[in-house]
Amino acid sequence: AQSVTQPDIHITVSEGASLELRCNYSYGATPYLFWYVQSPGQGLQLLLKYFSGDTLVQGIKGFEAEFKRSQSSFNLRKPSVHWSDAAEYFCAVVRNRDDKIIFGKGTRLHILP
Amino acid sequence: DGGITQSPKYLFRKEGQNVTLSCEQNLNHDAMYWYRQDPGQGLRLIYYSQIVNDFQKGDIAEGYSVSREKKESFPLTVTSAQKNPTAFYLCASSKNSGAFFGQGTRLTVV
């Protein structure tokens, strides 16, 4: 069965520092990959997605993610975080476009002033 | 504007009562999903539907029921058989380009 692992439950970075959130998936073929962000008490907002092609994808709010097939990873990055980036981040995979979406358990990002 | 709407935002029910959470989308999406979110558990899939009049159980379907009579609507009923129904419930819809989520319903059973 396919699965998604986000190894870090909490991450704390200083405002202005760079950020990398890790995501690993378990699936034989290349799935469709997503990153979402959730503010407290809100729904999830799509940050970016990877279907095929260029392995470095750009998203909203200055985020990017890189797909690495050899490592089965899809890590999310941002060069310089802002206090408003404090939220929970979810990685998700879909086996194909008609299949169910599987989420990781999330990483909560804390920002130090 | 197109979007996905969940109602109500907050819901309180007495133990033993069934309750129905509403989810409506006007995005013309084929697939719709219900997730349950508990602290530290991430999102767990309850039910999903890829087409009208058809739906599949997710990982934690016990104690829940759904219907998909219209493409736009995918209501979730939390029945009295659900042992621990207090949670945050999220509805989503998708069509090839990733899922779009509603703002969630926080259900509290007292």
Side-chain angles (χ1 to χ4, degrees):
Chain A
Q2 61 187 84
S3 66
V4 182
T5 302
Q6 294 180 248
D8 303 305
I9 298 174
H10 294 273
I11 281 189
T12 300
V13 299
S14 298
E15 189 168 16
S18 63
L19 170 70
E20 182 168 33
L21 302 182
R22 295 183 291 166
C23 173
N24 294 95
Y25 65 90
S26 170
Y27 180 59
T30 299
Y32 298 104
L33 297 157
F34 307 89
W35 274 100
Y36 289 85
V37 61
Q38 184 183 33
S39 298
Q42 301 296 314
L44 276 69
Q45 182 182 21
L46 179 65
L47 283 175
L48 47 77
K49 60 194 177 194
Y50 173 78
F51 287 172
S52 64
D54 192 347
T55 56
L56 184 64
V57 294
Q58 303 297 321
I60 62 171
K61 303 178 188 251
F63 286 92
E64 66 179 26
E66 185 172 13
F67 168 62
K68 293 186 177 180
R69 185 191 308 273
S70 61
Q71 299 176 18
S72 297
S73 69
F74 188 56
N75 294 350
L76 182 71
R77 302 195 295 244
K78 187 170 185 179
S80 176
V81 298
H82 186 262
W83 63 267
S84 60
D85 293 324
E88 189 153 23
Y89 292 80
F90 293 92
C91 182
V93 302
V94 178
R95 184 169 54 187
N96 58 59
R97 292 188 178 187
D98 296 324
D99 205 352
K100 60 185 179 181
I101 304 169
I102 305 297
F103 285 85
K105 291 188 182 295
T107 297
R108 184 166 294 279
L109 175 64
H110 306 270
I111 307 293
L112 294 175
Chain B
D1 287 341
I4 181 164
T5 303
Q6 289 186 242
S7 61
K9 189 172 177 65
Y10 299 96
L11 190 55
F12 295 87
R13 279 295 181 269
K14 290 184 178 180
E15 194 171 336
Q17 288 183 335
N18 292 357
V19 61
T20 297
L21 282 60
S22 170
C23 179
E24 303 278 334
Q25 55 99 359
N26 59 4
L27 299 165
N28 198 33
H29 286 174
D30 295 310
M32 296 187 75
Y33 307 81
W34 274 106
Y35 291 89
R36 171 179 170 142
Q37 189 176 27
D38 298 281
Q41 300 270 354
L43 281 78
R44 293 184 289 169
L45 183 63
I46 305 173
Y47 270 98
Y48 66 108
S49 168
Q50 294 169 326
I51 195 169
V52 174
N53 292 323
D54 188 42
F55 47 83
Q56 288 79 41
K57 292 182 178 180
D59 301 317
I60 56 164
E62 185 175 350
Y64 299 97
S65 66
V66 294
S67 63
R68 187 82 187 279
E69 298 176 0
K70 299 186 300 181
K71 189 175 186 178
E72 301 79 18
S73 179
F74 191 42
L76 173 74
T77 297
V78 184
T79 74
S80 57
Q82 168 51 233
K83 299 303 181 189
N84 186 19
T86 294
F88 189 53
Y89 291 87
L90 285 161
C91 180
S93 69
S94 72
K95 186 175 182 181
N96 299 335
S97 58
F100 292 84
F101 282 81
Q103 292 301 296
T105 293
R106 184 166 298 282
L107 172 64
T108 302
V109 175
V110 297

